[in-house]
Amino acid sequence: MKNNNNAEQQPKQEFLFDSINYKILLIGIAVIALGFILMSGGGSTDPNVFNEDIFSFRRIRLAPTTVLIGFGITIYSIFKKSK
């Protein structure tokens, strides 16, 4: 006679991180996406005309800093301990 306790004996599946870790991770991904959006643009439709907008503060300093902050947030979300 067999016991049908297989369902009770299987361990409960748990996620690798807590929900707060996933929320922080999504915030970090959104910040990275914002940085890449800030980097876009500045091109010219005419190849004979040089557009100075590619060297603006937004594309040279702000956008890469935003991307690095986003990477920092995602790394923090990975290393944050669960309670």
Side-chain angles (χ1 to χ4, degrees), residues 10-49:
Q10 291 178 351
K12 182 181 175 186
Q13 244 183 353
E14 294 182 17
F15 288 111
L16 187 59
F17 299 121
D18 287 339
S19 64
I20 188 70
N21 294 75
Y22 287 111
K23 290 175 186 176
I24 296 171
L25 182 70
L26 289 176
I27 290 169
I29 291 171
V31 171
I32 292 170
L34 175 68
F36 279 108
I37 290 169
L38 289 172
M39 260 189 249
S40 68
S44 177
T45 56
D46 185 9
N48 296 324
V49 176

